[in-house]
């Protein structure tokens, strides 16, 4: 009941993503399913899924979010990134005490360079895969969902293949 009240109270005012995540996690641990959560909280399934991504967030960034040092929008963007990128962001946050959108972009750019480094002509498929991974990191950092990214990637691939034929 306390978890339900917390989620409802947060939805009535400016949300606190940490307490909201905690409350949602409590509901999940108590056996609530996604449909139950949507009914109980009034939040859409996509909003619920978005909030629950905080479970995958690097611990240092999560602590910064809890303290108010990391803006919620930045924490949510970081939570959607691969673990190795989050680790770099966590290191940057630990060093500087802050995390901004440009930090996410910079780490994504560093990841691009690392992914493409050492590629040779015989590894053209590897090059493309590395570029797609790097672009995916950037897309997520800019707020694109994984589903939107996949749709765009498939469309681009289909278009490129049609041009080759």
């Amino acid at each position: 009941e306390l978890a339900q009240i917390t989620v409802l109270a947060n939805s009535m005012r400016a949300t606190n993503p940490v307490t909201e995540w905690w409350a949602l996690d409590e509901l999940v641990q108590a056996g609530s399913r996604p449909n139950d959560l949507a009914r109980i909280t009034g939040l859409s399934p996509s909003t619920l899924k978005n909030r629950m991504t905080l479970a995958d967030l690097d611990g240092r960034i999560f602590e910064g979010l809890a303290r108010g040092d990391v803006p919620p929008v930045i924490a949510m963007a970081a939570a959607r990134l691969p673990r190795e990128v989050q680790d770099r962001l966590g290191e940057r946050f630990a060093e500087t005490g802050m995390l901004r959108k440009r930090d996410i972009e910079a780490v994504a750019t560093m990841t691009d360079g690392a992914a493409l480094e050492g590629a040779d002509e015989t590894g053209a498929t590897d090059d493309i895969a590395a570029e797609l991974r790097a672009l995916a990191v950037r897309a997520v950092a800019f707020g694109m969902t994984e589903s939107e990214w996949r749709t765009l990637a498939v469309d681009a691939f289909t278009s490129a293949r049609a041009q080759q034929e």
Side-chain angles (χ1 to χ4, degrees), residues 18-131:
V18 174
T19 57
E20 191 173 74
W21 173 81
W22 168 82
L24 290 169
D25 189 56
E26 287 289 318
L27 290 170
V28 168
Q29 297 302 321
S32 294
R33 292 171 294 166
N35 290 340
D36 297 332
L37 291 177
R39 183 182 46 75
I40 291 167
T41 65
L43 298 172
S44 71
S46 63
T47 299
L48 289 168
K49 183 179 178 183
N50 192 29
R51 295 294 191 273
M52 294 306 290
T53 62
L54 288 177
D56 299 325
L57 186 60
D58 177 88
R60 297 165 290 194
I61 300 171
F62 187 89
E63 288 175 18
L65 173 65
R67 287 191 312 266
D69 296 336
V70 175
V73 68
I74 299 300
M76 296 305 291
R80 292 188 296 263
L81 295 171
R83 176 55 57 192
E84 62 274 5
V85 176
Q86 284 191 42
D87 188 50
R88 288 185 182 162
L89 288 170
E91 289 171 9
R92 181 170 285 200
F93 176 69
E95 291 170 6
T96 65
M98 64 179 138
L99 199 57
R100 298 171 301 234
K101 184 177 179 179
R102 68 176 166 217
D103 296 322
I104 292 175
E105 293 167 4
V107 169
T109 301
M110 288 182 348
T111 302
D112 292 354
L116 295 176
E117 204 171 283
D120 61 20
E121 293 174 14
T122 62
T125 302
D126 292 338
D127 289 351
I128 293 169
E131 288 183 43

